[in-house]
Amino acid sequence: MRNPRMSRTPGIPASPEREDMTLLDAAVVVVAALAAAVLGRRIAGLARQPAMVGEIVLCLLLGAVLAASGLHLLDSADTVVRTVGHAGLALFVTGAVHGMRTEGARPVGRAVVGLALGSVLLPMAAGVGVAAWVMSSGDSALRGDSPAPALTLMLAVALSVTAVPVLAGILQDHGLERTLTGRLSLTAAVTIDAITWPLLAVAVALAKGGGGPLRTAAVLGGGAVVALVARRAATAPAVRRAAVRYPVLAVVTAAALSVAAATTTQELGCTDVLGAALVGLALPADGPFERVGRTVGVAGRRTLPVYFVVTGATFLTGAGAGVPWTAIVVVTVAAIAAKLIGSYAGARAGALPRPVALRLATLMNTRGLTELVVLQAGLASGVLTPRLYLALVVMALVTTVLSGPLLRAVGGPAPAPPTRVGRATPAVIGDERTW
């Protein structure tokens, strides 16, 4: 049954009482989402897991429970809950993309190229194999009706993802953020992200059919030009002085642009992630804008639990009564094997020692939040069915949970770096180097 407190009949104005009840329901859901996130992070901490894992699981389950209880969060496209959730997603993506450009000095050369290529190519090939298995399975609830090229590219992207935010947290927890392992893994993950977002937009465009690919190419090209022009304009002395003098206004403006750009690209037939990423590219990486980008990202990160609740209400209630166990096993095994083997082979091809290559392989297997953003875009565009989405979400959580135990199994974190290390001079510690 539809819950009249969460929806209204199109064309019939809502009475003031019903509108108030709708807003009250939305406020309760938002507060419940934030509370579930806090509880999930604490549970994950007790289990020695990344805080993101507990937060995601509890919020997804909360969304499913709310939907099952009759709160149809998806009845109206402009509900407060959905608006808050997608705004949080846009802000997070903008902050994440901007943060990729504001990191300190990174290692470059053969090691990074080898690791990045190994961590992308074999997982993408595995994704193509999984797509072929899905299309030949005969399970229409798993396959759906999306075009084969769109599904193939989506799965190739999904299996190649490495989550920069969660990876950075794991490195910090293990004292690896300033070691060779930490720098190489983050640099490779950032490189993979730079490949992921455009390919994701192409996969969504292929699902639209018709002029979708051409429209996406036009949006990508036009958006990139606008982002570059905006970045150059933001470097003007007057703009920088204004950002320093009015920091709150600068943050609000960047946040508004992020949400507006995400909404625009979604309405143009692309994913909303694309618009938010373009704003992250448009913000300068230095000066007062470093703080602006970081603040926008933190605001998005704090609001993301609402997005997870909406996601849980979407796919857990649409996946059917049965859990796609076979798909979960196939996707998870393929994703783990491809990442571990590909990353290790790439690191070794980059002339890195075997212990470092093993650590890098375990870290690059972290999917985390970036994976969920990619998967949500696939679900929203119809490329992924709810059942296939569920299998991929389980894969993302399992690979993230395994990062810590696998890292300890291959030798654990490197020794703590010395207190004095030159800013650009590497120091050797065992088989690691620190910057």
Side-chain angles (χ1 to χ4, degrees):
M1 275 183 73
R2 297 168 66 94
N3 187 338
R5 295 172 61 190
M6 290 298 292
S7 61
R8 61 185 182 188
T9 304
I12 300 178
S15 65
E17 181 181 359
R18 290 183 64 180
E19 187 68 25
D20 289 343
M21 294 299 286
T22 299
L23 293 176
L24 177 60
D25 285 334
V28 170
V29 171
V30 170
V31 172
L34 300 180
V38 173
L39 180 59
R41 287 195 293 268
R42 293 188 177 182
I43 293 175
L46 294 175
R48 300 182 64 187
Q49 291 295 335
M52 178 66 66
V53 174
E55 177 179 331
I56 291 171
V57 171
L58 274 191
C59 289
L60 290 177
L61 292 177
L62 175 61
V65 170
L66 290 176
S69 66
L71 294 180
H72 295 277
L73 303 181
L74 307 177
D75 283 345
S76 176
D78 60 348
T79 59
V80 175
V81 175
R82 283 176 59 84
T83 300
V84 172
H86 282 272
L89 173 64
L91 298 181
F92 171 80
V93 171
T94 294
V97 172
H98 183 261
M100 293 189 307
R101 297 168 41 235
T102 58
E103 290 287 337
R106 300 190 184 98
V108 294
R110 179 180 174 184
V112 172
V113 173
L115 177 61
L117 288 178
S119 193
V120 165
L121 295 181
L122 187 58
M124 280 193 168
V128 173
V130 171
W133 174 80
V134 169
M135 289 184 287
S136 63
S137 66
D139 186 349
S140 59
L142 189 69
R143 166 66 176 87
D145 56 2
S146 61
L151 179 62
T152 301
L153 183 56
M154 178 64 68
L155 289 175
V157 170
L159 266 65
S160 65
V161 165
T162 295
V164 174
V166 178
L167 175 60
I170 292 175
L171 292 174
Q172 187 174 13
D173 290 342
H174 289 273
L176 291 170
E177 67 270 23
R178 295 181 62 226
T179 63
L180 175 65
T181 296
R183 290 296 188 180
L184 284 174
S185 59
L186 270 181
T187 303
V190 168
T191 303
I192 294 170
D193 268 11
I195 299 171
T196 296
W197 301 126
L199 290 181
L200 175 61
V202 173
V204 172
L206 291 173
K208 302 291 183 182
L214 291 177
R215 182 169 56 249
T216 297
V219 173
L220 275 171
V225 171
V226 172
L228 291 175
V229 172
R231 189 198 301 182
R232 181 171 292 274
T235 59
V239 177
R240 287 182 175 272
R241 286 195 299 269
V244 172
R245 187 173 182 180
Y246 306 104
V248 175
L249 179 60
V251 170
V252 171
T253 301
L257 290 174
S258 173
V259 175
T263 302
T264 299
T265 54
Q266 188 173 41
E267 291 180 350
L268 290 175
C270 302
T271 171
D272 51 357
V273 170
L274 176 60
L278 288 172
V279 175
L281 292 174
L283 288 175
D286 57 353
F289 294 102
E290 182 177 357
R291 180 180 178 183
V292 170
R294 184 170 61 252
T295 305
V296 168
V298 169
R301 178 66 188 84
R302 295 289 183 266
T303 319
L304 267 180
V306 182
Y307 172 76
F308 295 145
V309 169
V310 174
T311 301
T314 305
F315 85 91
L316 288 178
T317 55
V323 177
W325 293 113
T326 302
I328 289 175
V329 172
V330 170
V331 169
T332 303
V333 171
I336 293 175
K339 267 291 184 181
L340 293 180
I341 296 173
S343 299
Y344 178 80
R348 292 292 287 160
L352 292 172
R354 182 175 288 106
V356 176
L358 285 172
R359 293 190 189 109
L360 286 168
T362 61
L363 290 169
M364 298 304 292
N365 192 42
T366 303
R367 263 69 176 203
L369 182 56
T370 305
E371 179 73 80
L372 290 184
V373 173
V374 170
L375 298 181
Q376 177 61 20
L379 178 66
S381 61
V383 180
L384 301 177
T385 63
R387 286 174 63 82
L388 184 54
Y389 177 89
L390 175 58
L392 290 165
V393 167
V394 173
M395 176 272 291
L397 296 177
V398 169
T399 54
T400 304
V401 167
L402 285 178
S403 297
L406 285 178
L407 183 60
R408 290 188 288 271
V410 299
T419 56
R420 289 179 175 269
V421 178
R423 183 174 181 180
T425 304
V428 179
I429 304 178
D431 59 2
E432 294 276 5
R433 288 182 294 172
T434 64
W435 272 261

